Amino acid sequence: MEQVLKQMKIPEEKERLRMSASESAELLSKTADRKAGDILKAAALVISAVKRGGKVLACGNGGSAADAQHLAGELVGRFFIDRASYPCVALCTDSSVTTSLANDYGFESVFERQVEALGRKGDVLVAISTSGNSPNVLRAAAAAKRKGMKVIALTGGKGGKLAPAADVLLDVDSRVTPRIQETHGFMIHAICEIVEKRLSE
């Protein structure tokens, strides 16, 4: 480790870290102002679904898959309050299901088929794609609409091809994947906090 540290240009690395943190903080602040109303709408969709005995399904690829799992962990577990568990399934976590679907139907179908199997009218799909153009997420959203589900889309840019399928679009005004994902994490936390507070009243 010491040898690696000696080879680094420490002042340059620290400045790069500072700039990344500054960019992220600025984007978070702007997104909180720009999308506050839509974050509240997204939370309201989740609250309504849970109150009616419905559930949340979530999907995404790579870092967005991790965000889907993060959402499920917060809702099924807890955020701040010890309370009842809220039904949420991350569709990227069952390796046997996803690999069999990818093998038999193609990777574009891995979320779509699960939505068809598990989704019901009144449920909510949280579709996460930094580009807004991930084929398997788009097909999941289309399946959700066919089932009469609501769709919350977390994207970057202007929402990409996913935007028209969204009942609530939580788009981050950036093209930089790490900054988008950091802001998605903030919005997921905000939704979970609102949902937990309202359902615990």
Side-chain angles (χ1 to χ4, degrees):
M1 182 185 74
E2 295 298 329
Q3 184 63 31
V4 173
L5 285 171
K6 287 178 181 179
Q7 293 172 351
M8 287 183 179
K9 297 178 180 179
I10 301 298
E12 292 182 15
E13 297 296 339
K14 286 184 176 179
E15 178 61 17
R16 186 176 293 109
L17 288 171
R18 188 198 66 77
M19 289 180 63
S20 293
S22 178
E23 289 171 2
S24 185
E26 183 178 2
L27 186 59
L28 286 174
S29 180
K30 287 181 177 179
T31 302
D33 288 338
R34 186 174 68 89
K35 302 304 294 185
D38 288 324
I39 291 171
L40 293 173
K41 289 177 184 177
L45 286 180
V46 174
I47 291 165
S48 296
V50 173
K51 280 186 171 181
R52 293 194 306 267
K55 61 186 168 296
V56 178
L57 303 179
C59 65
N61 299 288
S64 296
D67 285 336
Q69 293 178 65
H70 187 172
L71 173 65
E74 302 289 17
L75 293 180
V76 174
R78 67 170 185 174
F79 193 67
F80 282 127
I81 304 169
D82 284 323
R83 37 72 176 174
S85 182
Y86 309 142
C88 182
V89 179
L91 302 180
C92 45
T93 56
D94 190 325
S95 59
S96 294
V97 169
T98 54
T99 55
S100 68
L101 291 174
N103 186 63
D104 295 343
Y105 297 99
F107 194 68
E108 292 81 2
S109 299
V110 295
F111 302 139
E112 176 187 33
R113 295 281 292 186
Q114 292 183 77
V115 170
E116 290 173 346
L118 303 173
R120 298 291 181 269
K121 183 177 181 179
D123 289 348
V124 175
L125 175 70
V126 178
I128 311 173
S129 171
T130 56
S131 67
N133 297 318
S134 300
N136 55 5
V137 176
L138 291 171
R139 289 177 65 162
K145 300 305 286 186
R146 293 194 299 270
K147 300 282 281 190
M149 297 170 60
K150 299 296 185 181
V151 176
I152 300 168
L154 278 73
T155 73
K158 301 299 182 183
K161 296 177 182 178
L162 190 55
D167 294 284
V168 178
L169 176 62
L170 299 178
D171 54 313
V172 179
D173 189 16
S174 176
R175 299 287 183 184
V176 181
T177 297
R179 302 292 88 83
I180 296 168
Q181 290 175 336
E182 288 155 6
T183 309
H184 282 175
F186 160 74
M187 292 195 286
I188 287 167
H189 278 167
I191 291 168
C192 290
E193 183 172 3
I194 296 165
V195 168
E196 184 177 75
K197 182 178 179 181
R198 295 305 175 196
L199 287 176
S200 298
E201 289 178 339

